[in-house]
Amino acid sequence: MHTATVPSPSRPKNFSAQQTIDPVTFTCDAPDAKSVYLSGDFNDWDPDAHPMKRMPDGTWKSKIQLNPGEHHYWFLVDGKATLDPKAHGRAHDIENHRVSRVTVDYI
């Protein structure tokens, strides 16, 4: 009787979920704003979860790690929901609000 050795699936060395994708940089052009937050399905639409940092040129930036797939979001500029003109597209959330869309791929 012969027994066969079945190799286990190969895995990349030093593999981790965080190494599969680059962080996504969100930029909001709102030079007169007092505060800007990033809110989306990736933070359960929590309006305080991702405060954005004001840059010297008047833009606001936030860099966050997202899982691969499609994500919906908007900026909260002084508390007002604002779509991202540089988004990958537009979509509607479950309450039919227009939202910005970003798609994240594996690297």
Side-chain angles (χ1 to χ4, degrees), residues 30-37 51-54 58 60 76-79:
D32 297 326
K34 296 195 183 340
S35 67
V36 179
Y37 290 82
M52 299 182 76
K53 183 177 180 182
R54 183 185 195 83
W60 296 73
L76 291 170
V77 179
D78 292 334

Side-chain angles (χ1 to χ4, degrees), residues 15-22 66-69 103-107:
F15 177 82
S16 80
Q18 291 193 355
Q19 291 177 334
T20 60
I21 53 176
D22 288 328
L66 294 177
N67 291 327
T103 303
V104 178
D105 295 320
Y106 287 99
I107 56 171

